[in-house]
Protein backbone atom coordinates (compact mmCIF):
# COMPACT_ATOMS: atom_id res chain seq x y z
CA UNK A 1 0.00 0.00 0.00
CA UNK A 2 1.15 3.54 -0.69
CA UNK A 3 -0.20 6.94 0.28
CA UNK A 4 2.52 9.22 -1.13
CA UNK A 5 4.37 9.55 -4.41
CA UNK A 6 7.60 8.78 -2.58
CA UNK A 7 6.19 5.47 -1.38
CA UNK A 8 4.89 4.68 -4.85
CA UNK A 9 8.33 5.28 -6.35
CA UNK A 10 10.12 3.29 -3.64
CA UNK A 11 7.83 0.30 -4.14
CA UNK A 12 8.56 0.42 -7.87
CA UNK A 13 12.29 -0.30 -7.48
CA UNK A 14 11.92 -3.96 -8.41
CA UNK A 15 8.73 -3.94 -10.47
CA UNK A 16 6.97 -1.68 -12.99
CA UNK A 17 5.12 1.20 -11.39
CA UNK A 18 1.83 0.10 -12.93
CA UNK A 19 2.22 -3.28 -11.19
CA UNK A 20 2.45 -1.55 -7.81
CA UNK A 21 -0.72 0.39 -8.59
CA UNK A 22 -2.44 -2.77 -9.80
CA UNK A 23 -1.56 -4.70 -6.64
CA UNK A 24 -2.81 -1.83 -4.50
CA UNK A 25 -6.09 -1.83 -6.42
CA UNK A 26 -6.44 -5.57 -5.87
CA UNK A 27 -5.93 -5.13 -2.12
CA UNK A 28 -8.51 -2.34 -1.96
CA UNK A 29 -11.20 -3.92 -4.13
CA UNK A 30 -10.55 -7.65 -3.66
CA UNK A 31 -11.00 -7.96 -7.44
CA UNK A 32 -8.85 -10.28 -9.52
CA UNK A 33 -6.08 -8.96 -11.74
CA UNK A 34 -8.12 -9.94 -14.80
CA UNK A 35 -11.17 -8.05 -13.53
CA UNK A 36 -9.13 -4.93 -12.88
CA UNK A 37 -7.51 -5.00 -16.32
CA UNK A 38 -10.95 -5.45 -17.88
CA UNK A 39 -12.24 -2.45 -15.97
CA UNK A 40 -9.39 -0.30 -17.24
CA UNK A 41 -9.93 -1.62 -20.76
CA UNK A 42 -13.56 -0.52 -20.63
CA UNK A 43 -12.60 2.94 -19.38
CA UNK A 44 -9.98 3.22 -22.11
CA UNK A 45 -12.62 2.43 -24.71
CA UNK A 46 -14.86 5.19 -23.35
CA UNK A 47 -11.92 7.61 -23.43
CA UNK A 48 -11.08 6.73 -27.03
CA UNK A 49 -14.69 7.17 -28.10
CA UNK A 50 -15.07 10.59 -26.45
CA UNK A 51 -11.75 11.76 -27.91
CA UNK A 52 -12.98 10.91 -31.41
CA UNK A 53 -16.70 11.66 -31.34
CA UNK A 54 -16.59 15.43 -31.95
CA UNK A 55 -13.69 15.47 -34.41
CA UNK A 56 -16.02 15.29 -37.41
CA UNK A 57 -19.36 16.32 -35.90
CA UNK A 58 -19.90 19.27 -33.52
CA UNK A 59 -21.79 18.25 -30.40
CA UNK A 60 -25.05 19.95 -29.38
CA UNK A 61 -25.06 21.46 -25.88
CA UNK A 62 -26.79 24.07 -23.76
CA UNK A 63 -25.44 27.46 -24.80
CA UNK A 64 -23.26 25.96 -27.51
CA UNK A 65 -20.21 27.90 -26.29
CA UNK A 66 -17.68 25.28 -27.42
CA UNK A 67 -19.58 23.34 -30.08
CA UNK A 68 -17.34 22.78 -33.12
CA UNK A 69 -14.01 23.43 -31.42
CA UNK A 70 -12.78 19.88 -32.02
CA UNK A 71 -13.67 19.99 -35.71
CA UNK A 72 -11.84 23.28 -36.21
CA UNK A 73 -8.69 22.06 -34.47
CA UNK A 74 -8.77 18.71 -36.27
CA UNK A 75 -9.06 20.45 -39.65
CA UNK A 76 -6.21 22.78 -38.76
CA UNK A 77 -4.05 19.85 -37.67
CA UNK A 78 -4.05 18.62 -41.27
CA UNK A 79 -2.09 21.76 -42.18
CA UNK A 80 0.54 21.01 -39.56
CA UNK A 81 0.25 24.32 -37.76
CA UNK A 82 2.99 25.96 -35.72
CA UNK A 83 3.21 23.06 -33.27
CA UNK A 84 2.88 20.29 -35.84
CA UNK A 85 0.09 17.94 -36.76
CA UNK A 86 0.41 15.60 -33.78
CA UNK A 87 0.17 18.38 -31.19
CA UNK A 88 -2.83 19.93 -32.91
CA UNK A 89 -4.55 16.54 -33.17
CA UNK A 90 -3.96 16.08 -29.46
CA UNK A 91 -5.66 19.39 -28.73
CA UNK A 92 -8.51 18.41 -31.06
CA UNK A 93 -9.04 15.20 -29.09
CA UNK A 94 -9.04 17.12 -25.82
CA UNK A 95 -11.64 19.49 -27.28
CA UNK A 96 -13.67 16.50 -28.44
CA UNK A 97 -14.01 14.99 -24.98
CA UNK A 98 -14.89 18.43 -23.60
CA UNK A 99 -17.64 18.79 -26.19
CA UNK A 100 -18.99 15.33 -25.44
CA UNK A 101 -19.06 16.17 -21.75
CA UNK A 102 -20.81 19.51 -22.35
CA UNK A 103 -23.37 17.68 -24.51
CA UNK A 104 -24.11 15.21 -21.69
CA UNK A 105 -22.40 12.40 -23.60
CA UNK A 106 -20.45 9.51 -22.13
CA UNK A 107 -16.99 10.39 -20.83
CA UNK A 108 -14.56 9.05 -18.26
CA UNK A 109 -13.89 11.54 -15.48
CA UNK A 110 -10.12 11.71 -15.17
CA UNK A 111 -10.00 12.92 -12.47
CA UNK A 112 -13.15 15.02 -13.10
CA UNK A 113 -15.65 15.51 -15.91
CA UNK A 114 -14.39 19.04 -16.51
CA UNK A 115 -10.87 17.71 -17.11
CA UNK A 116 -11.92 14.58 -19.01
CA UNK A 117 -10.13 15.41 -22.27
CA UNK A 118 -6.55 15.60 -21.05
CA UNK A 119 -5.66 12.04 -20.13
CA UNK A 120 -7.12 10.38 -23.26
CA UNK A 121 -5.70 13.03 -25.61
CA UNK A 122 -2.19 12.71 -24.18
CA UNK A 123 -2.07 8.92 -23.93
CA UNK A 124 -3.55 8.45 -27.40
CA UNK A 125 -0.98 10.85 -28.83
CA UNK A 126 1.92 9.10 -27.10
CA UNK A 127 0.56 5.69 -28.11
CA UNK A 128 0.55 6.74 -31.76
CA UNK A 129 3.91 8.45 -31.51
CA UNK A 130 5.53 5.32 -30.06
CA UNK A 131 3.43 2.84 -32.03
CA UNK A 132 2.52 1.27 -28.69
CA UNK A 133 -0.09 -1.46 -28.36
CA UNK A 134 -3.20 -1.48 -26.18
CA UNK A 135 -1.47 -3.24 -23.29
CA UNK A 136 1.13 -0.49 -23.12
CA UNK A 137 -1.57 2.16 -23.22
CA UNK A 138 -3.44 0.43 -20.39
CA UNK A 139 -0.27 0.21 -18.32
CA UNK A 140 0.18 3.96 -18.75
CA UNK A 141 -3.45 4.51 -17.76
CA UNK A 142 -2.99 2.44 -14.60
CA UNK A 143 0.16 4.42 -13.77
CA UNK A 144 -1.71 7.69 -14.22
CA UNK A 145 -4.48 6.58 -11.89
CA UNK A 146 -1.94 5.73 -9.21
CA UNK A 147 -0.68 9.30 -9.21
CA UNK A 148 -4.23 10.62 -9.30
CA UNK A 149 -5.15 8.49 -6.30
CA UNK A 150 -2.30 9.96 -4.24
CA UNK A 151 -3.29 13.51 -5.15
CA UNK A 152 -6.94 12.80 -4.34
CA UNK A 153 -5.97 11.40 -0.93
CA UNK A 154 -3.53 14.15 0.05
CA UNK A 155 -4.97 17.21 -1.70
CA UNK A 156 -8.05 17.68 -3.89
CA UNK A 157 -9.30 17.27 -7.46
CA UNK A 158 -12.27 19.58 -6.95
CA UNK A 159 -12.40 22.93 -8.71
CA UNK A 160 -14.76 24.17 -6.04
CA UNK A 161 -12.14 23.42 -3.41
CA UNK A 162 -8.85 24.07 -5.19
CA UNK A 163 -9.46 25.85 -8.49
CA UNK A 164 -8.73 24.51 -11.94
CA UNK A 165 -5.21 23.55 -10.89
CA UNK A 166 -6.93 20.75 -8.98
CA UNK A 167 -8.89 19.58 -12.02
CA UNK A 168 -7.08 20.24 -15.29
CA UNK A 169 -3.78 20.59 -13.45
CA UNK A 170 -4.10 17.21 -11.77
CA UNK A 171 -5.24 15.66 -15.05
CA UNK A 172 -2.08 17.02 -16.67
CA UNK A 173 0.04 15.61 -13.84
CA UNK A 174 -1.59 12.20 -14.21
CA UNK A 175 -1.18 12.27 -17.98
CA UNK A 176 2.46 13.33 -17.74
CA UNK A 177 3.26 10.42 -15.44
CA UNK A 178 1.42 7.97 -17.70
CA UNK A 179 3.17 9.29 -20.79
CA UNK A 180 6.59 8.83 -19.18
CA UNK A 181 5.72 5.27 -18.21
CA UNK A 182 4.61 4.43 -21.76
CA UNK A 183 7.86 5.89 -23.09
CA UNK A 184 9.89 3.59 -20.86
CA UNK A 185 10.83 6.13 -18.22
CA UNK A 186 11.58 5.23 -14.62
CA UNK A 187 9.22 5.65 -11.67
CA UNK A 188 11.34 8.60 -10.56
CA UNK A 189 10.87 10.20 -13.97
CA UNK A 190 7.12 9.67 -13.67
CA UNK A 191 7.19 11.49 -10.33
CA UNK A 192 9.19 14.36 -11.79
CA UNK A 193 6.78 14.68 -14.71
CA UNK A 194 3.83 14.78 -12.31
CA UNK A 195 5.47 17.47 -10.19
CA UNK A 196 6.58 19.59 -13.15
CA UNK A 197 3.08 19.56 -14.64
CA UNK A 198 1.59 20.77 -11.36
CA UNK A 199 4.27 23.42 -10.94
CA UNK A 200 3.48 24.71 -14.43
CA UNK A 201 -0.15 25.48 -13.55
CA UNK A 202 0.09 26.33 -9.85
CA UNK A 203 -2.67 28.76 -8.94
CA UNK A 204 -4.84 28.15 -12.01
CA UNK A 205 -8.33 29.41 -11.13
CA UNK A 206 -11.73 27.92 -11.91
CA UNK A 207 -13.97 30.51 -13.56
CA UNK A 208 -16.62 28.83 -15.75
CA UNK A 209 -18.60 31.27 -17.85
CA UNK A 210 -22.30 31.09 -16.93
CA UNK A 211 -21.41 28.27 -14.56
CA UNK A 212 -21.22 25.83 -17.47
CA UNK A 213 -18.37 23.34 -17.86
CA UNK A 214 -17.53 24.69 -21.31
CA UNK A 215 -15.56 27.94 -21.30
CA UNK A 216 -12.66 28.21 -20.44
CA UNK A 217 -12.68 24.53 -19.50
CA UNK A 218 -12.21 23.24 -23.05
CA UNK A 219 -9.26 25.55 -23.73
CA UNK A 220 -7.65 24.37 -20.52
CA UNK A 221 -8.16 20.75 -21.52
CA UNK A 222 -6.23 21.50 -24.71
CA UNK A 223 -3.52 23.63 -23.10
CA UNK A 224 -2.99 21.30 -20.15
CA UNK A 225 -2.58 18.42 -22.60
CA UNK A 226 0.36 20.39 -23.98
CA UNK A 227 1.61 20.96 -20.42
CA UNK A 228 1.46 17.23 -19.76
CA UNK A 229 3.39 16.31 -22.88
CA UNK A 230 6.00 19.01 -22.29
CA UNK A 231 6.41 17.92 -18.67
CA UNK A 232 6.82 14.30 -19.74
CA UNK A 233 9.52 15.25 -22.21
CA UNK A 234 11.34 17.33 -19.62
CA UNK A 235 11.32 14.41 -17.19
CA UNK A 236 12.47 11.97 -19.87
CA UNK A 237 15.31 14.37 -20.71
CA UNK A 238 16.50 14.03 -17.12
CA UNK A 239 15.05 17.23 -15.70
CA UNK A 240 14.23 17.13 -11.99
CA UNK A 241 11.36 19.02 -10.44
CA UNK A 242 13.82 19.90 -7.62
CA UNK A 243 10.84 20.12 -5.23
CA UNK A 244 9.63 16.55 -4.46
CA UNK A 245 6.28 15.64 -5.97
CA UNK A 246 4.61 15.21 -2.58
CA UNK A 247 5.66 18.71 -1.56
CA UNK A 248 4.36 20.10 -4.85
CA UNK A 249 1.02 18.39 -4.24
CA UNK A 250 0.85 19.85 -0.73
CA UNK A 251 1.70 23.29 -2.11
CA UNK A 252 -1.01 23.01 -4.76
CA UNK A 253 -3.53 22.17 -2.04
CA UNK A 254 -2.49 25.12 0.13
CA UNK A 255 -2.64 27.49 -2.84
CA UNK A 256 -6.11 26.23 -3.71
CA UNK A 257 -7.32 26.83 -0.18
CA UNK A 258 -6.09 30.43 -0.40
CA UNK A 259 -7.95 31.17 -3.62
CA UNK A 260 -10.90 33.45 -2.98
CA UNK A 261 -14.36 31.96 -3.29
CA UNK A 262 -14.91 33.89 -6.55
CA UNK A 263 -12.13 31.88 -8.22
CA UNK A 264 -13.31 28.43 -7.18
CA UNK A 265 -16.05 27.34 -9.59
CA UNK A 266 -18.62 29.92 -8.50
CA UNK A 267 -18.62 31.81 -11.84
CA UNK A 268 -18.22 35.05 -9.86
CA UNK A 269 -14.63 35.84 -10.84
CA UNK A 270 -12.08 35.54 -13.62
CA UNK A 271 -13.43 35.61 -17.17
CA UNK A 272 -16.86 34.57 -15.88
CA UNK A 273 -17.09 38.04 -14.33
CA UNK A 274 -15.95 39.86 -17.47
CA UNK A 275 -18.55 42.01 -19.28
CA UNK A 276 -18.90 39.44 -22.04
CA UNK A 277 -18.97 36.56 -19.57
CA UNK A 278 -21.78 38.22 -17.61
CA UNK A 279 -23.63 39.00 -20.83
CA UNK A 280 -23.47 35.34 -21.91
CA UNK A 281 -24.78 34.22 -18.52
CA UNK A 282 -27.62 36.73 -18.64
CA UNK A 283 -28.59 35.65 -22.15
CA UNK A 284 -28.55 31.95 -21.27
CA UNK A 285 -30.38 32.30 -17.98
CA UNK A 286 -32.95 34.66 -19.46
CA UNK A 287 -33.58 32.12 -22.20
CA UNK A 288 -34.08 29.38 -19.60
CA UNK A 289 -36.46 31.57 -17.63
CA UNK A 290 -38.46 32.43 -20.75
CA UNK A 291 -38.62 28.81 -21.78
CA UNK A 292 -39.97 27.74 -18.40
CA UNK A 293 -42.90 30.12 -18.52
Amino acid sequence: MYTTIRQLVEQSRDKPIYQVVLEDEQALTQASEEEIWEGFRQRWQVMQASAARALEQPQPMVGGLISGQACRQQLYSQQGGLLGGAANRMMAMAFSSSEVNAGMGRICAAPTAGACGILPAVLLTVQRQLNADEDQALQALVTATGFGAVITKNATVSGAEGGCQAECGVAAAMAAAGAVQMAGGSAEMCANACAIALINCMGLVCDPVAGLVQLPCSFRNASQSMNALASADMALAGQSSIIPADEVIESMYRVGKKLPMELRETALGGIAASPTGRSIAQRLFSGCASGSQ
Side-chain angles (χ1 to χ4, degrees), residues 23 43 60 62 68 119 124 134 142 153 175 182-183 204 225 227 237 247 255 257-258 263 265 290:
E23 291 171 1
R43 293 177 181 87
V62 174
L119 190 55
L124 281 166
E134 183 182 64
V142 171
K153 179 177 180 60
M182 203 188 315
L204 186 60
S225 295
N227 174 24
E247 293 183 30
V255 168
K257 287 292 189 180
K258 290 182 179 180
L263 300 179
E265 209 172 348
S290 299

Side-chain angles (χ1 to χ4, degrees), residues 144-189:
T145 61
F147 281 83
V150 170
I151 298 172
T152 301
K153 179 177 180 60
N154 297 319
T156 182
V157 294
S158 167
E161 186 176 12
C164 198
Q165 59 166 8
E167 292 205 25
C168 287
V170 171
M174 293 168 61
V180 168
Q181 198 284 322
M182 203 188 315
S186 66
E188 189 68 40
M189 287 178 173

Side-chain angles (χ1 to χ4, degrees), residues 3 101 124-125 131 180 217 226:
T3 58
N101 177 58
L124 281 166
T125 298
N131 196 29
V180 168
C217 315
M226 295 296 298

Side-chain angles (χ1 to χ4, degrees), residues 203-282:
L204 186 60
V205 305
C206 184
D207 51 349
V209 171
L212 301 174
V213 187
Q214 296 184 30
L215 181 70
C217 315
S218 63
F219 288 125
R220 289 176 182 159
N221 271 258
S223 63
Q224 289 305 310
S225 295
M226 295 296 298
N227 174 24
L229 204 59
S231 298
D233 257 344
M234 283 187 262
L236 287 165
Q239 306 291 355
S240 169
S241 65
I242 311 299
I243 308 300
D246 290 308
E247 293 183 30
V248 174
I249 292 167
E250 180 186 3
S251 297
M252 181 272 287
Y253 188 46
R254 285 190 281 104
V255 168
K257 287 292 189 180
K258 290 182 179 180
L259 289 175
M261 173 268 292
E262 289 83 1
L263 300 179
R264 286 187 280 131
E265 209 172 348
T266 58
L268 297 175
I271 67 166
S274 67
T276 299
R278 291 197 300 268
S279 176
I280 291 172
Q282 184 177 21

Side-chain angles (χ1 to χ4, degrees), residues 184-202:
S186 66
E188 189 68 40
M189 287 178 173
C190 290
N192 278 315
C194 169
I196 292 168
L198 281 178
I199 287 170
N200 288 344
C201 63
M202 190 76 67

Side-chain angles (χ1 to χ4, degrees), residues 36-45 138 141-142 145:
I36 293 173
W37 279 121
E38 180 57 29
F40 275 101
R41 186 171 290 104
Q42 291 176 7
R43 293 177 181 87
W44 182 235
Q45 290 171 352
L138 291 176
L141 182 59
V142 171
T145 61

